[in-house]
Amino acid sequence: MSASNLQQRHRTGRVWLVVFQVALLTGIVALTALLFNILNGSFGYVAIEDTIAPQDLAVNGVPLEEQDKDTLIQVLQAHISAGLFARYEFDKPFAERSAGEVYDLILERVVEPKFVAQWSLYETLTNRDAIRQTAAQDFPNARLEFRSWLNSHFLRAPQSSYPEIAGVRTAVLGSLWTIGIAVLFAFPVGVAAAVYLQEYAPDNLINRIIQTNITNLAGVPSIIYGILGLAIFVRALGHFTSGVAFGASDPTTSNGRTILSAGLTLGMLVLPLIIINAQEAIKAVPSSLRQASFGLGATRWETVWHHVLPNAISGIMTGTILAISRAIGETAPLVVIGASTFIQVDPEGPFSNFTTLPIQIYQWTARPQSVFRNLAGGASLVLLGLLLTLNATAIILRNRYRRSL
Amino acid sequence: MTDIAPAAAATAAIESKDLSIYYGSFQAVRDVNLDIQPNRITAIIGPSGCGKSTVLRAFNRMNELIPNVNTTGEVLFRGQNIYKSDVDPVEVRRHIGMVFQKPNPFPKSVYENVAWGARINGFKGNMDELVHNSLTAAALWDEVKDKLDQSGLSLSGGQQQRLCIARAIAVRPDIILMDEPCSALDPIATLRIEELMRDLATEYTIIIVTHNMQQAARVSDRTAFFSLSDDGKRAGMLMEYGDTKTMFTRPEKKITEDYITGRFG
Ligand SMILES: Nc1ncnc2c1ncn2[C@@H]1O[C@H](COP(=O)(O)OP(=O)(O)OP(=O)(O)O)[C@@H](O)[C@H]1O
Ligand SMILES: [Mg+2]
């Protein structure tokens, strides 16, 4: 072996090292760009024109936000028509509304803020003076405000066609409902199927075909599941998914495009993922445990229930949460089965119409007014927050189970 | 399913007749006729791959957990062939327990390790007492009496193996099968288990697979020597079987002598 040969080999190694580093860097750049893009749209200056400035609504020098409910109701009554006030009273008596809700009504109907211009976070940070000048010139009546598009009002308020008061509450609830139903359906079915395949199924042709199919199903594009869900849950089983069969909905107006259909479709979508992950977790349980159990005269069921599942559960959980993370971001199949793009009332149960966060985001980005893109940015943050929460839960659950073993 | 009748007048605790075992089409064990005497320790020795573990597992139908295993011939336990179609393997294993090469306690508490098998088998008596007695019988009580609620995995290797023995005797089997139970243990832990086996032999029939000639000579009453067939098919066969003393001093066959004296294997 000559020394020059060794140098050559080291050089090859260094070249590959650089390749790996560049690959990692590319990944990091892509992630940073993603994060920047979302944050860039979620914060920044807005120019707002109020019909009545909130300061002018202060009573006895107490600013609007700090007033009690009764005063807020008086302010509202003083500024809107009697008819409108009566309608609000009819919709939901003021006695039942919270101070926050009345405050929101005042904002919506009295202050009537209008976003006349908005700037991205980047512009806001780098070009503050120019923005101030432009705003003062073009919108002399507007106030310039640094706004976080993700704020408590945004989380609390339902969807609206006015960007000033629109929020993601309906969409978040819709997402939680559909995911909840998807998990209720897919988790037990998936785990049971995995137990059967790993612990019971003999190794024969039929089972191998089933196994291959499940593996392949995990890779089927989600839109196909949407079409499947449309055919089965919305159309064929519409009588049940609409709730008509249970007397829960009005047969003349309701259809199968409900939370239930959406949840079941998402459940089908993640079922193969849950099965495969649960199988891996079950496979990881050492066979010495099964032998010990059988050696004591345990049946297969006792072995599975007392030893295999408790030792696989943390892996099963992790897989399930990963599946949920996938489902929560799915848009295409829900569009196919007919999620409502505009819906203002909270979903009340499995038979309600619904929208979800990703659909809301999609719908806002498709609007021509640029202000909706900022709303989409805020909603993206909510979606990411939801995802992170779920993943954190998964990790906590898994660690807790690991420790208890 | 017929229940396994209480011990008949048969002299053997368990007995194989023309037992052959196949992994797929490969015959791993050929025509083994072995009668195991009650309340004795029987050692199974032989070179690696000659089918010792396979034969041992045949005695409580554990081979069935491996796919594609086929067993022919008979294994008579209490006068009944345990491979008859109406015999439940779960029932067989409840009577014929097993201790494995690698200690494999459940990832549960020491107490639960011992209690679990008895509980699923419908034990109705005083569980604390059973756990105490089983651990005492396995010569482990003094070492674990203060940590019954700790994980079985927190014990040392030798303690874990004795826990596995305690777990096996807690279901009151007739026969205990041990597959190289000391191979993962140090010499002192090994000696403890050997002493324990001698104690247990007063109540139980024990079959032990071992690679350790001294261990077989020290601990067993009878020895079965297995080797591979010389027809090129590498099937495991019973070569010689008799009292351990005789086997180790005056073996009948040359091949046995060669193996015992370490000339091959
Ligand atoms: N699960 C299995 N599948 C296929 N063949 C097997 C299996 N287990 C054992 N065999 C084969 O059966 C023969 C006997 O194996 P066995 O494990 O019974 O030998 P052994 O005498 O216990 O060996 P060792 O002393 O190394 O433990 C070997 O040829 C082995 O390759
Ligand atoms: Mg072996």
Side-chain angles (χ1 to χ4, degrees):
Chain A
M1 185 190 75
S2 68
S4 66
N5 177 25
L6 187 59
Q7 263 174 12
Q8 170 64 37
R9 282 155 58 199
H10 278 311
R11 209 171 306 130
T12 315
R14 274 196 297 277
V15 168
W16 279 107
L17 180 62
V18 171
V19 170
F20 298 146
Q21 284 166 336
V22 168
L24 180 66
L25 204 68
T26 315
I28 293 175
V29 167
L31 277 179
T32 318
L34 175 84
L35 211 63
F36 173 79
N37 187 31
I38 294 176
L39 291 178
N40 200 31
S42 312
F43 302 93
Y45 272 137
V46 279
I48 306 170
E49 275 176 8
D50 299 325
T51 310
I52 299 180
Q55 303 85 282
D56 299 344
L57 294 172
V59 178
N60 305 330
V62 182
L64 195 62
E65 302 93 73
E66 290 165 24
Q67 282 160 9
D68 58 33
K69 185 174 148 192
D70 291 335
T71 329
L72 286 173
I73 295 177
Q74 280 164 19
V75 170
L76 182 66
Q77 206 164 9
H79 287 87
I80 61 176
S81 69
L84 189 57
F85 187 83
R87 211 189 85 203
Y88 284 136
E89 175 71 31
F90 177 77
D91 284 348
K92 185 177 177 186
F94 278 95
E96 288 171 20
R97 296 183 191 240
S98 70
E101 283 174 299
V102 182
Y103 178 76
D104 286 349
L105 272 183
I106 295 179
L107 273 191
E108 186 184 334
R109 285 295 164 178
V110 184
V111 178
E112 286 187 314
K114 268 205 179 42
F115 297 150
V116 285
Q118 62 283 331
W119 291 268
S120 71
L121 180 61
Y122 180 75
E123 290 169 322
T124 304
L125 292 180
T126 54
N127 242 347
R128 187 171 310 191
D129 295 333
I131 293 175
R132 287 222 175 97
Q133 270 178 17
T134 329
Q137 252 171 35
D138 297 356
F139 315 104
N141 298 326
R143 59 195 158 92
L144 198 59
E145 190 178 85
F146 183 84
R147 183 177 170 89
S148 159
W149 293 89
L150 170 66
N151 53 45
S152 65
H153 174 83
F154 187 64
L155 291 176
R156 270 188 290 117
Q159 158 78 301
S160 161
S161 45
Y162 300 106
E164 293 79 10
I165 56 168
V168 288
R169 173 201 176 103
T170 0
V172 169
L173 286 175
S175 275
L176 292 177
W177 266 103
T178 46
I179 291 298
I181 288 178
V183 171
L184 277 182
F185 163 66
F187 182 78
V189 174
V191 174
V195 165
Y196 175 77
L197 286 172
Q198 278 316 118
E199 300 290 321
Y200 289 86
D203 185 23
N204 57 24
L205 188 65
I206 297 177
N207 286 320
R208 246 173 288 160
I209 291 175
I210 293 178
Q211 181 73 61
T212 314
N213 269 307
I214 290 174
T215 317
N216 286 330
L217 277 179
V220 168
S222 55
I223 188 105
I224 313 267
Y225 281 97
I227 291 168
L228 183 77
L230 180 68
I232 299 182
F233 300 125
V234 177
R235 299 260 155 80
L237 300 175
H239 188 56
F240 300 95
T241 51
S242 60
V244 172
F246 313 102
S249 335
D250 177 4
T252 51
T253 58
S254 54
N255 58 29
R257 302 173 187 276
T258 55
I259 283 185
L260 184 61
S261 296
L264 292 176
T265 306
L266 287 184
M268 301 256 289
L269 176 80
V270 296
L271 189 58
L273 289 178
I274 292 185
I275 295 180
I276 292 170
N277 280 308
Q279 277 187 286
E280 289 304 320
I282 290 171
K283 242 185 252 176
V285 176
S287 63
S288 63
L289 279 187
R290 294 185 187 82
Q291 289 176 358
S293 172
F294 284 122
L296 287 170
T299 61
R300 192 169 286 274
W301 161 247
E302 285 159 345
T303 304
V304 167
W305 184 249
H306 290 278
H307 300 296
V308 175
L309 282 182
N311 284 289
I313 192 70
S314 66
I316 294 177
M317 295 285 227
T318 317
T320 306
I321 304 262
L322 287 179
I324 295 175
S325 304
R326 156 129 196 240
I328 208 164
E330 280 299 344
T331 323
L334 299 186
V335 171
V336 174
I337 71 160
S340 319
T341 42
F342 189 83
I343 184 165
Q344 281 184 298
V345 288
D346 290 352
E348 284 168 347
F351 305 121
S352 302
N353 292 339
F354 69 100
T355 186
T356 65
L357 261 178
I359 287 177
Q360 180 81 82
I361 293 170
Y362 165 73
Q363 190 240 339
W364 272 338
T365 45
R367 290 263 194 132
Q369 303 97 314
S370 68
V371 60
F372 283 104
R373 280 196 278 292
N374 297 93
L375 290 179
S380 303
L381 276 185
V382 176
L383 186 57
L384 285 182
L386 215 57
L387 248 165
L388 283 182
T389 318
L390 282 174
N391 284 339
T393 322
I395 293 169
I396 291 169
L397 277 178
R398 190 178 55 200
N399 291 349
R400 168 165 310 167
Y401 255 102
R402 275 224 187 108
R403 226 172 301 126
S404 71
L405 281 182
Chain B
M1 178 210 112
T2 52
D3 271 358
I4 294 172
T11 49
I14 193 163
E15 181 179 6
S16 77
K17 288 211 166 121
D18 295 331
L19 179 69
S20 292
I21 302 157
Y22 302 80
Y23 291 104
S25 58
F26 167 66
Q27 185 177 28
V29 169
R30 182 190 297 168
D31 293 338
V32 169
N33 290 289
L34 187 62
D35 59 317
I36 304 291
Q37 316 236 309
N39 291 65
R40 294 280 180 281
I41 300 180
T42 304
I44 298 181
I45 61 172
S48 191
C50 69
K52 303 180 296 293
S53 300
T54 307
V55 167
L56 196 72
R57 286 197 300 264
F59 283 138
N60 69 346
R61 293 184 62 169
M62 286 289 273
N63 280 327
E64 274 156 55
L65 303 178
I66 305 169
N68 292 322
V69 173
N70 207 356
T71 308
T72 63
E74 295 188 338
V75 173
L76 298 175
F77 173 64
R78 293 180 174 177
Q80 191 182 13
N81 179 13
I82 61 171
Y83 282 92
K84 249 176 51 191
S85 59
D86 60 352
V87 173
D88 185 346
V90 172
E91 176 81 359
V92 171
R93 295 183 200 124
R94 185 220 155 309
H95 288 287
I96 306 175
M98 194 151 201
V99 176
F100 300 84
Q101 176 168 5
K102 239 181 90 212
N104 57 352
F106 298 127
K108 298 173 184 279
S109 69
V110 169
Y111 184 99
E112 203 45 37
N113 260 282
V114 181
W116 189 76
R119 192 176 302 128
I120 56 158
N121 280 302
F123 177 77
K124 292 270 158 43
N126 184 335
M127 189 60 87
D128 290 351
E129 205 176 297
L130 178 76
V131 170
H132 173 256
N133 291 345
S134 305
L135 285 170
T136 310
L140 189 59
W141 175 255
D142 288 335
E143 287 158 69
V144 300
K145 61 172 184 261
D146 298 323
K147 30 183 170 180
L148 290 177
D149 52 0
Q150 281 181 27
S151 167
L153 296 173
S154 67
L155 304 179
S156 77
Q159 289 173 332
Q160 288 189 14
Q161 195 61 303
R162 274 178 282 150
L163 180 62
C164 293
I165 294 175
R167 175 176 74 185
I169 55 190
V171 300
R172 301 258 165 268
D174 297 357
I175 302 174
I176 304 175
L177 309 173
M178 300 186 174
D179 193 351
E180 300 185 46
C182 304
S183 64
L185 306 182
D186 68 61
I188 297 180
T190 300
L191 275 182
R192 291 217 61 169
I193 303 253
E194 286 179 11
E195 279 169 29
L196 170 60
M197 280 163 49
R198 290 267 34 129
D199 291 343
L200 292 176
T202 55
E203 261 188 84
Y204 302 94
T205 304
I206 297 176
I207 311 178
I208 174 177
V209 169
T210 176
H211 270 181
N212 181 333
M213 288 309 112
Q214 287 88 27
Q215 181 169 60
R218 270 195 308 263
V219 81
S220 72
D221 305 299
R222 292 177 64 79
T223 300
F225 170 64
F226 280 72
S227 191
L228 295 169
S229 67
D230 48 13
D231 57 4
K233 292 198 179 131
R234 304 185 64 78
M237 296 174 66
L238 177 60
M239 291 298 173
E240 193 170 342
Y241 179 43
D243 280 343
T244 299
K245 255 204 204 109
T246 328
M247 289 274 286
F248 276 81
T249 50
R250 285 169 280 115
E252 271 171 29
K253 292 193 179 162
K254 175 87 172 42
I255 187 174
T256 316
E257 187 180 346
D258 285 353
Y259 183 76
I260 287 172
T261 53
R263 246 168 283 171
F264 96 100

